[in-house]
Amino acid sequence: MTTTAAHPTRRSQKAHRAPGRWAARWPAWRAFILLTLPMVAGLFLFKYVAIGWGLLLSFNDARGTIALDSWNGLDNYRQLLSDPAFTRSLVTIVLFTLFIVPVTFALALGLAVLVNRLRGGRAFFRTTFFIPAAVSYVVGALVWKMSLFSGTPSGVANSIAYLLGHEDAIGWVATVDPPLYWIVLVTVRLWLQTGFYMILFLAGIQQIPAELYEAARVDGAHSERQLFWHITWPMLRNTSVAVTLLLIINAFQAFDEFYNILASNLSGLSGADGRTPLIYLFQTALGQQNYGAGAAGAFVITILIVAFTLLQGRFAGFGSSAEEESR
């Protein structure tokens, strides 16, 4: 009798405890919702709604307004692709991408390998090479333009040229034939971003098990070159793909250094072919207030970035299984 009476009591206690647990959990859910709702609402409003509105705006003749009241179909895209200035900017950014991506990749990987081989001072060199990544592209571009490649006799580049026997001051930014301004653009981009990607490669190298190198030495791979090609490089495949994707995206989004270094050239210096698509769209959308053409150009650049990304992923075999790679 006692045992039989105890069961209903235990059941009633469990029944009373269940609401208490949910009641204790509800404040946590409510706090989670209250904390994340502003972020989710802002992300939805200022990103996804803005992207959708921009897509609709690209099919409208929106001059001086962002209202969707003048549908013109694909006219904005036709005008952009038939504009020699826009197509020339696309060619410029594609050539810039084809040059800056492999050069940055090689420099970052080489520095990562060298820093990883150091027995002492690794943290010092890692920090030293990473410091430029914390510098604004605008600040770096202005320092390059006004100090290193200022074109005055006291500029750093001209001082080095004097030591090498060149007597006259060189106008690095203003020289179009040959296009010396590309030296300024490329060097500032390399200085600003190489350290960041070096850190990514260094992190990938340090994740490689030391047992693999020991096994390779036992098999006869004694030189650093053999260890790199047979162990380090294959193990950095995923890191290499990620770095290449980031480099391609950043190259197509080039704006700050081009605009600040070639600001005078874009309007006054004939022959300087340094206008990127983003600069063209900046002048179209904000200068001419042709928001429809600006939105259309933004989606053209997006399609171009996606195409290059997919092409690079296809060649790298990113996302394929081990069986597919072996075939």
Side-chain angles (χ1 to χ4, degrees):
M1 296 295 292
T2 305
T3 306
T4 307
H7 289 293
T9 305
R10 293 177 182 175
R11 292 176 182 174
S12 62
Q13 289 178 355
K14 292 181 179 180
H16 287 294
R17 288 177 184 174
R21 293 175 182 175
W22 285 108
R25 293 177 182 176
W26 169 241
W29 279 101
R30 182 170 55 186
F32 175 78
I33 294 173
L34 291 177
L35 289 174
T36 58
L37 184 60
M39 182 186 66
V40 173
L43 182 66
F44 177 77
L45 179 62
F46 295 106
K47 184 175 182 179
Y48 297 109
V49 173
I51 292 175
W53 193 272
L55 180 61
L56 295 176
L57 200 66
S58 67
F59 299 108
N60 284 264
D61 186 14
R63 299 178 183 270
T65 180
I66 58 173
L68 305 176
D69 56 358
S70 181
W71 181 269
N72 64 354
L74 298 175
D75 288 347
N76 289 327
Y77 292 92
R78 296 192 189 96
Q79 292 176 5
L80 278 175
L81 297 177
S82 61
D83 187 356
F86 182 71
T87 55
R88 189 164 55 248
S89 68
L90 291 178
V91 174
T92 298
I93 202 62
V94 168
L95 294 177
F96 176 73
T97 301
L98 293 176
F99 178 81
I100 202 68
V101 169
V103 173
T104 306
F105 186 96
L107 285 177
L109 179 58
L111 289 175
V113 172
L114 292 177
V115 172
N116 186 67
R117 291 179 182 176
L118 296 176
R119 296 183 178 180
R122 184 182 300 177
F124 169 77
F125 286 102
R126 184 172 60 240
T127 305
T128 302
F129 286 122
F130 183 74
I131 285 177
V135 179
S136 169
Y137 273 60
V138 176
V139 174
L142 293 179
V143 170
W144 244 246
K145 179 180 179 180
M146 302 175 65
S147 178
L148 298 182
F149 295 91
S150 62
T152 61
S154 60
V156 176
N158 281 330
S159 298
I160 297 175
Y162 292 150
L163 295 177
L164 296 177
H166 197 280
E167 298 180 357
D168 299 328
I170 303 173
W172 298 93
V173 177
T175 304
V176 177
D177 188 20
L180 297 180
Y181 57 89
W182 277 111
I183 298 178
V184 186
L185 294 171
V186 169
T187 53
V188 68
R189 172 59 73 110
L190 291 175
W191 182 76
L192 288 168
Q193 69 178 11
T194 301
F196 173 76
Y197 296 106
M198 183 210 71
I199 295 296
L200 297 183
F201 277 122
L202 188 60
I205 292 174
Q206 293 176 351
Q207 294 298 319
I208 301 175
E211 292 79 6
L212 295 178
Y213 292 101
E214 295 176 0
R217 291 188 180 96
V218 172
D219 291 337
H222 299 290
S223 66
E224 294 293 338
R225 180 179 180 181
Q226 291 176 330
L227 292 175
F228 174 80
W229 285 114
H230 294 288
I231 303 297
T232 306
W233 177 246
M235 295 298 293
L236 286 178
R237 176 179 172 274
N238 291 337
T239 304
S240 301
V241 173
V243 168
T244 306
L245 293 179
L246 293 175
L247 283 171
I248 292 174
I249 294 173
N250 290 334
F252 275 99
Q253 293 177 345
F255 175 83
D256 294 333
E257 68 270 33
F258 282 83
Y259 185 81
N260 288 279
I261 291 176
L262 299 178
S264 59
N265 299 5
L266 295 176
S267 57
L269 185 61
S270 60
D273 192 10
R275 181 160 63 171
T276 64
L278 289 186
I279 293 178
Y280 177 91
L281 298 179
F282 174 80
Q283 296 174 341
T284 300
L286 299 182
Q288 305 173 10
Q289 293 189 350
N290 190 350
Y291 300 112
F299 282 96
V300 170
I301 298 174
T302 302
I303 294 172
L304 196 60
I305 293 175
V306 171
F308 265 77
T309 302
L310 294 177
L311 188 63
Q312 187 269 340
R314 178 66 176 175
F315 282 118
F318 189 68
S320 59
S321 62
E323 295 180 357
E324 293 175 348
E325 292 180 3
S326 62
R327 296 176 185 175

